[in-house]
Amino acid sequence: MLTQLINARILTPQGWLKDGSVLIRDGKILEVTNCDLAVIGAQLIDVKGMYVLPGGVEIHAHGGGGRDFMECTEDAFRVAVKTHMKYGTTSIFPTLSSSTVPMIEQAAETCTKLMEEKDSPILGLHLEGHYLNMAMAGGQIPENIKSPDPNEYIPIVETWSCIKRWDAAPELPGAMQFGKYITAKGILASVAHTQAEFEDIRTAYEAGYTHATHFYNAMPGFHKRREYKYEGTVESIYLLDDMTVEVVADGIHVPPTILRLVYKIKGVERTCLITDALACAASDSQEAFDPRVIIEDGVCKLADHSALAGSVATMDRLIRTVVQKAEIPLADAVRMASETPAKIMGVYDRKGSLQKGKDADIIVMDENLNVRAVWAMGKLVPETYTIS
């Protein structure tokens, strides 16, 4: 079917098109134009001047709709993914917190099967740990945490091509060997749950760690030991211009002022937005996969209040927070939710922007930045269409 969105404010890589149209067929974008004359034979959808934006590319989410990817089942994956799609996520890399090897293998098997389905929104598996610094474990399950072990990770990588990203603390024994190995296999290496200072970060970058997991969270900033001052992981990452970062843009994990700072220093091209959402996101559930976690003040925390443990955010909330609270232009906020993560994960050839020939992953938002419709691979996501 040929579908045409007309009377739209469209965000393109070249900027905004006012009163434009997007033509889609067979899951692809046929044309993006500033002419909204109706095409013969097309199903016309008048978006009434609302924003037409590229679908969100989520590179760090643990679950949603009451289900967690650590359940490792097809049903859990499907429910969580479909939940996030209702809020503007059209591509996703399901994320596991620190897990056992059997859990990783089971999740990889499930992920592989679902990725093979036609028009799947699942683009690969993200392993957050379990090679993390115990002192910065935060909401991670401590009994699963250890140093990188090649006898463990090499068989996993050689067996499961669905793994596209793996996070680690670079100061751990064996972390440099791990980073070099996984990046040679095309897997994104990311710095996470760490106490690394500048030399650790610079060495890690040279070993292939080019990204920082939930920047500012589970990593130290500027600090003192006795009378002397030291740069933290945060400042070290700022000093490496080409290192990319992701931020949990719910306005709680990282305050709006710090979101502005990240945007100012790292810029749109090296900053992406993530939810870091747990199972309870977009659900009536008050329970997380980890029994130590509670939901309070619109965020997930450890019950002893020692750390944040994930969010209940969805993609639309990220965009609203960045625009309305951090006062970042909408075009840049959307690029950080779509274009930048797509480039970081190597899928920008088909995702992350509204361009001819790319996948028809589209969200419509009104002036208050509420989702009014979502198309993923040209298919309308159920329950999202509220354009009247």
Side-chain angles (χ1 to χ4, degrees):
M1 177 187 293
L2 190 62
T3 302
Q4 186 180 15
L5 280 59
I6 62 169
N7 190 20
R9 283 185 284 178
I10 305 166
L11 181 61
T12 74
Q14 292 75 39
W16 291 103
L17 285 182
K18 188 178 180 182
D19 300 325
S21 74
V22 180
L23 200 63
I24 60 179
R25 183 172 62 194
D26 298 331
K28 297 290 183 181
I29 296 172
L30 288 185
E31 198 66 67
V32 179
T33 175
N34 58 1
C35 175
D36 62 358
L37 293 175
V39 173
I40 296 173
Q43 176 194 15
L44 287 182
I45 297 176
D46 185 347
V47 301
K48 305 184 187 306
M50 288 189 276
Y51 300 111
V52 172
L53 310 167
V57 179
E58 174 63 271
I59 69 173
H60 188 155
H62 296 276
R67 306 301 296 273
D68 195 292
F69 295 121
M70 288 181 78
E71 295 176 57
C72 305
T73 65
E74 284 187 40
D75 186 57
F77 269 62
R78 292 187 194 280
V79 170
V81 170
K82 287 179 180 178
T83 296
H84 281 284
M85 291 177 74
K86 294 176 184 178
Y87 296 90
T89 293
T90 52
S91 303
I92 190 167
F93 292 82
T95 303
L96 299 187
S97 294
S98 293
S99 304
T100 64
V101 171
M103 288 174 68
I104 292 171
E105 291 176 334
Q106 187 179 352
E109 183 176 0
T110 297
C111 188
T112 298
K113 182 176 181 181
L114 298 185
M115 285 174 69
E116 291 171 349
E117 295 180 352
K118 180 176 169 54
D119 298 338
S120 176
I122 299 174
L123 303 185
L125 192 64
H126 166 208
L127 303 179
E128 186 188 2
H130 48 288
Y131 306 138
L132 307 175
N133 189 319
M134 183 68 79
M136 302 299 288
Q140 298 285 323
I141 299 173
E143 52 265 35
N144 292 339
I145 292 176
K146 59 183 292 189
S147 293
D149 180 357
N151 294 319
E152 185 176 80
Y153 62 74
I154 290 176
I156 292 173
V157 171
E158 295 296 334
T159 302
W160 302 105
S161 61
C162 67
I163 297 171
K164 303 299 182 184
R165 171 180 168 186
W166 204 331
D167 306 354
E171 69 271 24
L172 296 178
M176 294 303 132
Q177 179 185 356
F178 171 71
K180 290 176 182 177
Y181 173 76
I182 64 170
T183 53
K185 297 293 183 179
I187 297 170
L188 177 72
S190 185
V191 171
H193 293 265
T194 175
Q195 291 185 322
E197 293 176 350
F198 184 70
E199 289 305 320
D200 297 314
I201 293 297
R202 182 166 62 181
T203 304
Y205 181 76
E206 291 169 353
Y209 291 87
T210 58
H211 188 66
T213 301
H214 45 52
F215 192 43
Y216 275 94
N217 295 116
M219 61 180 64
F222 174 81
H223 56 280
K224 286 178 65 177
R225 288 197 294 271
R226 294 176 59 90
E227 69 270 38
Y228 296 110
K229 299 172 182 67
Y230 298 86
E231 74 288 342
T233 309
V234 169
E235 292 80 16
S236 302
I237 289 167
Y238 274 137
L239 286 169
L240 292 174
D241 293 341
D242 291 333
M243 200 163 186
T244 57
V245 302
E246 63 186 30
V247 286
V248 186
D250 60 358
I252 300 172
H253 277 76
V254 183
T257 50
I258 300 300
L259 290 174
R260 280 187 60 80
L261 180 65
V262 177
Y263 167 74
K264 184 174 183 178
I265 297 176
K266 279 296 183 182
V268 176
E269 293 82 5
R270 294 181 178 87
T271 305
C272 73
L273 311 183
I274 60 163
T275 62
D276 195 11
L278 300 191
C280 38
S283 79
D284 296 327
S285 172
Q286 292 298 304
E287 296 182 359
F289 185 82
D290 187 336
R292 302 172 302 149
V293 174
I294 62 171
I295 304 169
E296 187 178 81
D297 303 326
V299 72
C300 298
K301 308 175 181 179
L302 292 182
D304 64 3
H305 294 86
S306 63
L308 298 178
S311 88
V312 295
T314 48
M315 185 63 67
D316 57 330
R317 179 175 165 185
L318 306 183
I319 294 171
R320 282 195 299 274
T321 298
V322 168
V323 173
Q324 297 170 356
K325 295 184 178 180
E327 300 179 346
I328 291 170
L330 175 60
D332 287 347
V334 172
R335 287 178 64 198
M336 291 189 291
S338 54
E339 176 187 316
T340 305
K343 287 180 175 177
I344 289 169
M345 297 307 299
V347 297
Y348 189 64
D349 61 322
R350 60 190 190 280
K351 305 287 185 182
S353 65
L354 300 181
Q355 291 174 272
K356 181 178 180 178
K358 286 199 171 186
D359 294 340
D361 293 341
I362 300 167
I363 57 178
V364 176
M365 300 185 96
D366 62 25
E367 62 181 6
N368 296 316
L369 304 183
N370 296 307
V371 172
R372 302 293 294 274
V374 180
W375 283 266
M377 295 297 295
K379 297 183 179 67
L380 186 65
V381 175
E383 304 172 39
T384 66
Y385 189 87
T386 58
I387 301 170
S388 58

